[in-house]
Amino acid sequence: MSMSISLKKTCNVLVALFCLGTVGIAQTTQAPRHVAVHAGHLLDVKTGKLLADQTLVIEDGKIISVGATAEAKIPADAVRIDLPSATVLPGLIDAHTHLTMDPKFGYEELGISVPREALTGAKNARLTLLAGFTTVRNVGASGFSDIALRDAINAGDVPGPRMVASGPALGITGGHCDNNLLPYEYHAVGDGVADGIAGVQHKVRENIKYGADVIKICATGGVLSKGDDPQASQYTLEEMKAIVADAHRLGRKVAAHAHGAQGILWASEAGVDSIEHGSYIDDAAIAEMKKNGTYLVATLYLGDWFLENAERNHVPEFYLTKAKTVMAAARKNISHAFASGVKVAFGTDAAVYPHGLNAHEFAVMVKLGLTPLQAIQAATVNAADLLGWSGKVGSLEPGAWADMVAVDGDPVKDVTTLERVKFVMKGGDVVKNEYGK
Ligand SMILES: [Zn+2]
């Protein structure tokens, strides 16, 4: 630290060209930056144990030690953060967001340009981070606006969570991920539309070319799309096998939007890594998912918000009719899937409701049968596993990024405390601290 300051001072009296070079050297030889966080309580999300009086030591944005405060070796230069009355746990992970979108439904969506989407994303990235979600998997955006947002966050240009981003979702012509609002003469086509084996292979490769970390597909119809049936399969088993083969070979996981039971079964059989929504999941689909280790990312709180606010948000009748049927069925079927022991990762579909309310999902998961600890694990260790980032996010252990949140009370007793996150740290930087120090 001191070295870089003295170099900067020297720069003031030297020519600009030389200084640019010097600053470059200063950045690479900077002393490690240390932070020590003292937690009154720390939740071990793997065991559910609430540990008292713990200290985490952070170096250059990563955790180097965690343990009893009395035994912590805190470097002399460490910035100290004291949270004696709080419970600290890993930064939360939302495996299903659409940061570049807001609750706008039907024909209102058509007036939004790709650059406008990107700016909406900058707003929502900040809100999501402040709500305690330090990592998201963003599954579907227009024009690679999500990739631009991810890169802007990584460059430090805008605040936001770490993003695993998909680019446009793949879907069949006329399917949930196409644009079906306009008549033929407008020739409106969703960015991710691809049909047939060769078509989907090309689209997977194109998405990866333009920066996709994960591949999102629409296996069945959806709720917020015109003229299609949520229960009907859209991609064939063969198309999905081709998508998964290319994605996995190129090092990307696959997330499948699927409501209908057959589409869930086929997507799992094809080898996708997660089923999104899963509204009509049945015993055959549950068995297939358990056999293949497919995660279920049920997005449930959106049903409450959407139906309560439909009128105010000008939701068209052709969405609302589907929503009422699908959302009621989903509650029953997802509850059965939870009880049957499928692997669960936390996801919200934020964008269907305002970003920042993501943590409201926890209470619904608990209402449908998960324990609070299981719901927290879904948003930490499980989601990290689904993203392929185990050991980096979702747990507070040496080597992980220093991403953490703090709340009042014990979230294992009252999971709604996660709706009121008071402290957020991402990569060792304090993003929010309502505890005052
Ligand atoms: Zn979605």
Side-chain angles (χ1 to χ4, degrees):
M1 188 66 94
S2 60
M3 186 180 176
S4 86
I5 290 166
S6 68
L7 282 170
K8 272 179 202 153
K9 276 183 188 159
T10 317
C11 273
N12 293 338
V13 293
L14 295 174
V15 293
L17 190 65
F18 178 70
C19 279
L20 286 173
T22 321
V23 170
I25 293 162
Q27 278 167 351
T28 52
T29 57
Q30 223 165 38
R33 195 179 56 100
H34 292 110
V35 183
V37 179
H38 169 231
H41 288 92
L42 186 139
L43 177 65
D44 181 334
V45 294
K46 289 179 184 170
T47 63
K49 278 194 187 132
L50 199 61
L51 308 162
D53 198 9
Q54 300 284 299
T55 290
L56 300 110
V57 180
I58 297 154
E59 183 175 281
D60 290 336
K62 285 188 174 164
I63 295 166
I64 55 171
S65 72
V66 51
T69 298
E71 283 146 40
K73 289 188 179 62
I74 302 173
D77 66 338
V79 173
R80 289 170 184 255
I81 295 163
D82 207 18
L83 306 169
S85 64
T87 300
V88 170
L89 66 155
L92 304 169
I93 305 167
D94 188 335
H96 191 127
T97 63
H98 301 278
L99 292 181
T100 65
M101 301 174 197
D102 271 336
K104 289 200 168 51
F105 304 101
Y107 288 92
E108 267 188 73
E109 297 164 39
L110 294 175
I112 301 163
S113 67
V114 170
R116 186 69 183 88
E117 257 201 38
L119 292 166
T120 297
K123 177 198 66 161
N124 291 332
R126 181 177 161 275
L127 291 175
T128 304
L129 182 60
L130 288 173
F133 289 81
T134 50
T135 300
V136 303
R137 189 180 62 158
N138 205 75
V139 282
S142 304
F144 296 93
S145 50
D146 55 340
I147 304 298
L149 179 61
R150 176 201 67 194
D151 293 349
I153 291 169
N154 288 346
D157 295 345
V158 296
R162 301 180 197 283
M163 282 180 75
V164 169
S166 71
L170 272 72
I172 66 162
T173 295
H176 175 62
C177 289
D178 196 357
N179 180 342
N180 305 328
L181 293 165
L182 295 170
Y184 173 74
E185 59 267 35
Y186 288 92
H187 304 290
V189 179
D191 290 341
V193 169
D195 299 302
I197 305 293
V200 298
Q201 286 173 331
H202 176 76
K203 190 57 79 175
V204 168
R205 294 167 194 181
E206 188 178 66
N207 274 5
I208 291 171
K209 173 180 175 178
Y210 293 111
D213 304 304
V214 61
I215 300 299
K216 164 81 182 295
I217 68 170
C218 288
T220 73
V223 174
L224 302 179
S225 47
K226 195 179 174 191
D228 64 333
D229 176 0
Q231 295 209 58
S233 299
Q234 294 192 339
Y235 272 131
T236 64
L237 177 60
E238 291 70 29
E239 285 170 319
M240 288 196 274
K241 281 184 175 170
I243 289 167
V244 172
D246 254 40
H248 284 179
R249 191 165 43 74
L250 296 169
R252 268 63 168 191
K253 297 198 178 203
V254 180
H257 158 107
H259 290 287
Q262 183 188 53
I264 298 169
L265 183 84
W266 280 356
S268 178
E269 190 182 339
V272 306
D273 299 282
S274 62
I275 297 293
E276 312 298 305
H277 317 303
S279 305
Y280 292 92
I281 192 166
D282 63 6
D283 284 329
I286 289 168
E288 186 70 23
M289 288 174 67
K290 287 175 78 169
K291 188 178 96 189
N292 301 325
T294 318
Y295 273 99
L296 174 63
V297 181
T299 56
L300 299 158
Y301 172 69
L302 70 88
D304 295 341
W305 191 92
F306 185 83
L307 295 175
E308 275 166 30
N309 296 278
E311 206 173 321
R312 195 178 337 144
N313 283 275
H314 319 290
V315 175
E317 202 52 43
F318 52 79
Y319 287 177
L320 201 52
T321 313
K322 287 201 272 187
K324 284 178 183 158
T325 317
V326 174
M327 288 164 182
R331 295 286 164 121
K332 193 170 132 278
N333 296 327
I334 296 295
S335 172
H336 177 60
F338 284 170
S340 306
V342 293
K343 294 204 295 188
V344 178
F346 180 102
T348 63
D349 219 357
V352 176
Y353 61 86
H355 295 267
L357 300 180
N358 312 55
H360 286 249
E361 185 76 17
F362 286 109
V364 189
M365 294 170 98
V366 170
K367 196 172 151 194
L368 296 187
L370 294 189
T371 65
L373 179 63
Q374 285 174 325
I376 293 166
Q377 287 170 334
T380 52
V381 277
N382 292 11
D385 179 42
L386 172 58
L387 270 55
W389 280 2
S390 290
K392 292 183 183 172
V393 298
S395 54
L396 298 174
E397 57 186 286
W401 282 311
D403 296 354
M404 64 193 84
V405 297
V407 295
D408 288 339
D410 179 357
V412 170
K413 291 211 177 83
D414 175 13
V415 82
T416 67
T417 191
L418 295 170
E419 295 169 16
R420 297 172 296 278
V421 162
K422 290 189 161 180
F423 172 88
V424 181
M425 171 178 276
K426 181 192 163 199
D429 291 328
V430 176
V431 176
K432 172 182 183 175
N433 188 359
E434 291 177 3
Y435 291 106
K437 187 169 175 280

